[in-house]
Amino acid sequence: MHDVVIVGAGPVGGALALALADADLDIVALDARAAGTTLRGDRSLALSHGARLIFERLAVWPRLAAVPGAITPIVTIDISQAGGFGVTRLVAEEQGLPALGYVVSYRALQAAIDEALARTGIDVRFGVTAASVAEATVVVSGETGTELRARLAVVADGTGTVVSGIARHQRDYGQVALIARVGMERPHGGVAFERFTPEGPIALLPEGDHYGLVWSMTPAKAETMLKVSDAAFLAALAQHFGERVTGFARVSERRSFPLRLEFARPTVAARSVVIGNAAQALHPIAGQGFNLGLRDAYEMGEAIIRAPREALGSASMLAAFAARRRPDRYAGIAFTHGLTRIFATESMFLRWPRGLALALLDAIPPAKTAFTRAMLFGIS
Ligand SMILES: Cc1cc2nc3c(=O)[nH]c(=O)nc-3n(C[C@H](O)[C@H](O)[C@H](O)COP(=O)(O)OP(=O)(O)OC[C@H]3O[C@@H](n4cnc5c(N)ncnc54)[C@H](O)[C@@H]3O)c2cc1C
């Protein structure tokens, strides 16, 4: 019997495995993907300053930093709304920070984590898919009868659907996010833009020599926008930004995915726990989802290291972990969901207060600092 089995060695499960690298425990991590690959297409992940600190401790950050263009610091975040007043600019220097956050590619981050894992003694098994997880027994897909047993199963498979005893709750926002790479006529200078439009928020995240675009819209509109010519796509994007951002030059890799809030309640069952996107998948409006998932991994690592071996996976250990994570999780879910209600909903009654909120945020330094800190480190 293993001490801990980690199902899913994505960015969150991989981070947990790294956090446990020096623990005197029998750990096995399995992932459905083949070594050196990712299952999904690439995407731009917005990492908070807090996430950077965690990846520094896990020796992932220096590996990522050694890859040219893999990390793009965000030095300014410009928040505005189309067709309404109110603008706020969060500036790293004003907060005494080198950067407000960082944009990294999912693939580059995964490669750095895999590389770091390969240098530890952790048993990582690629090409192994879990079919079910119950009471820390993992049944592996395909090979009938293959089971892995452990004291504790930590599920970080991105969906949490394989684990028994954990209910998932869903709230569909009725919108999809269209993501793409957008090239500009001029360098982006590390400035990220969040623009609230009648159709939903649009984010431009500086990444390498281009912007990672996350554009919320109705599913019907997305179907059209995935098909229109590059020129028509860029013209529509430019129209939403007006004078605020100009010089859209190229677009590539257009894809879309449905926007919904999904969360597990409870996050723990008999000898099992879900973390990362398996515990909560949030609307990307404030870039909180991945950072929250990474904090799940870090705190799970601490809880495992602190627990005596016999207590691993016990009801009291899992209840204590769930209680410890609850304020951060609920604050992240409520903050993100609240923002979607205020900023991703079009109503003439909301445009005015929304503009006022942005203007006040810009005019009151302590409010701006508090908001910036929430965006960077989380809300707990
Ligand atoms: C389509 C999409 C687009 C997104 N875009 C953005 C974005 O633009 N910006 C942003 O900040 N965040 C974005 N997110 C959120 C971000 O990707 C997640 O927060 C992050 O990937 C969570 O990491 P994770 O390790 O929990 O899950 P995942 O990244 O999903 O990793 C799960 C891992 O588990 C493995 N796995 C899955 N099932 C099994 C199984 N049964 N057995 C074994 N292994 C398994 C997978 O191979 C994978 O390696 C997006 C999410 C989605 C779904």
Side-chain angles (χ1 to χ4, degrees):
M1 175 152 73
H2 302 283
D3 289 317
V4 181
V5 58
I6 302 170
V7 178
V12 169
L16 171 62
L18 283 173
L20 297 175
D22 294 330
D24 182 22
L25 292 169
D26 173 358
I27 315 262
V28 57
L30 46 101
D31 200 296
R33 67 194 162 92
T37 66
T38 52
L39 276 190
R40 298 202 188 99
D42 206 5
R43 63 188 78 139
S44 315
L45 291 179
L47 301 192
S48 65
H49 190 67
R52 173 189 174 152
L53 298 179
I54 291 178
F55 280 130
E56 275 177 357
R57 270 178 240 149
L58 300 179
V60 170
W61 197 257
R63 282 174 208 286
L64 206 52
V67 181
I71 302 172
T72 307
I74 302 174
V75 293
T76 302
I77 304 176
D78 181 294
I79 309 174
S80 64
Q81 60 173 339
F85 79 101
V87 170
T88 191
R89 271 173 92 85
L90 308 176
V91 181
E93 224 181 358
E94 287 173 8
Q95 308 297 325
L97 289 166
L100 290 171
Y102 304 87
V103 182
V104 301
S105 101
Y106 182 93
R107 275 197 192 135
L109 177 65
Q110 186 71 70
I113 291 173
D114 289 353
E115 211 182 287
L117 272 173
R119 290 177 184 270
T120 67
I122 301 269
D123 178 2
V124 186
R125 302 181 192 175
F126 290 102
V128 179
T129 304
S132 66
V133 180
E135 306 230 359
T137 297
V138 179
V139 175
V140 172
S141 240
E143 303 159 46
T144 322
T146 307
E147 278 187 4
L148 280 163
R149 292 182 59 231
R151 293 174 197 274
L152 168 66
V154 183
V155 177
D157 66 346
T159 63
T161 48
V162 289
V163 60
S164 301
I166 288 181
R168 294 187 67 76
H169 303 266
Q170 262 197 28
R171 168 82 189 256
D172 202 320
Y173 290 118
Q175 285 204 315
V176 298
L178 192 155
I179 55 178
R181 283 174 169 235
V182 176
M184 306 299 287
E185 283 165 6
R186 294 174 299 279
H188 52 60
V191 183
F193 289 89
E194 180 98 41
R195 180 84 162 163
F196 299 108
T197 80
E199 290 166 20
I202 311 178
L204 287 171
L205 298 171
E207 187 185 355
D209 61 356
H210 62 273
Y211 271 117
L213 168 72
V214 186
W215 186 353
S216 310
M217 56 182 74
T218 61
K221 170 101 190 256
E223 226 171 278
T224 309
M225 296 307 287
L226 285 169
K227 286 188 211 136
V228 295
S229 68
D230 288 359
F233 185 91
L234 293 171
L237 186 61
Q239 202 184 1
H240 280 298
F241 276 97
E243 293 297 303
R244 198 93 208 136
V245 188
T246 56
F248 296 106
R250 291 170 302 283
V251 60
S252 61
E253 298 181 39
R254 280 180 250 170
R255 285 182 292 127
S256 72
F257 64 93
L259 288 174
R260 61 172 81 98
L261 163 67
E262 237 183 286
F263 61 97
R265 196 169 58 198
T267 52
V268 297
R271 300 207 161 270
S272 315
V273 53
V274 287
I275 62 169
N277 259 37
Q280 63 275 317
L282 309 183
H283 190 294
I285 191 166
Q288 300 268 323
F290 177 66
N291 298 301
L292 190 54
L294 187 63
R295 294 197 292 276
D296 286 346
Y298 198 75
E299 296 217 4
M300 184 81 256
E302 302 261 287
I304 291 172
I305 289 166
R306 270 197 312 268
R309 180 174 262 130
E310 323 73 70
L312 284 174
S314 64
S316 59
M317 178 215 172
L318 292 177
F321 171 75
R324 202 176 149 80
R325 290 300 300 140
R326 199 167 293 129
D328 191 23
R329 284 188 78 226
Y330 284 6
I333 292 169
F335 181 62
T336 304
H337 185 65
L339 283 182
T340 68
R341 297 299 82 197
I342 300 167
F343 287 109
T345 309
E346 187 45 21
S347 150
M348 57 182 282
F349 299 110
L350 277 177
R351 194 174 294 182
W352 228 87
R354 200 156 55 193
L356 192 63
L358 290 177
L360 284 175
L361 204 56
D362 206 56
I364 306 171
K368 201 161 154 178
T369 302
F371 186 72
T372 310
R373 284 196 67 80
M375 302 284 275
L376 297 186
F377 297 102
I379 305 114
S380 61

